[in-house]
Amino acid sequence: MALTKEVITDKVEVVGQYRHVQVRTATVVKEDGVELSRSFHRHVVAPGEDTTGMDAEVIAICAAVHTPAVIAAYEASLLPE
């Protein structure tokens, strides 16, 4: 009987005016190759946020959609009027 645990990035979505990247990861527990459980976790990557250590696909998507113009507009939206 061998138990294994695997964490995979199973969904990446780009949403909103400032192109926030929503990332869903699935934690899959298997016994002898048969899935016993699956749970999900989500996190959001904001424009300009450090992506070091994230999944390569997430880093590539963030690099494509978080352009300097998007980052500047997002940061400007955070400033009080």
Side-chain angles (χ1 to χ4, degrees):
M1 173 169 83
L3 287 176
T4 59
K5 178 174 122 176
E6 180 181 21
V7 178
I8 57 172
T9 300
D10 72 335
K11 185 182 281 191
V12 180
E13 301 170 310
V14 178
V15 298
Q17 176 182 357
Y18 301 112
R19 305 296 181 234
H20 285 78
V21 177
Q22 293 186 120
V23 182
R24 184 176 82 173
T25 56
T27 301
V28 182
V29 176
K30 295 180 181 180
E31 180 179 2
D32 296 328
V34 177
E35 186 174 317
L36 298 176
S37 71
R38 179 180 294 250
S39 60
F40 299 101
H41 173 77
R42 284 186 179 269
H43 71 276
V44 177
V45 183
E49 187 175 324
D50 183 17
T51 57
T52 303
M54 293 186 189
D55 183 77
E57 180 181 17
V58 173
I59 293 170
I61 291 169
C62 289
V65 299
H66 292 167
T67 63
V70 169
I71 293 170
Y74 174 67
E75 289 174 351
S77 76
L78 299 176
L79 298 175
E81 292 184 25

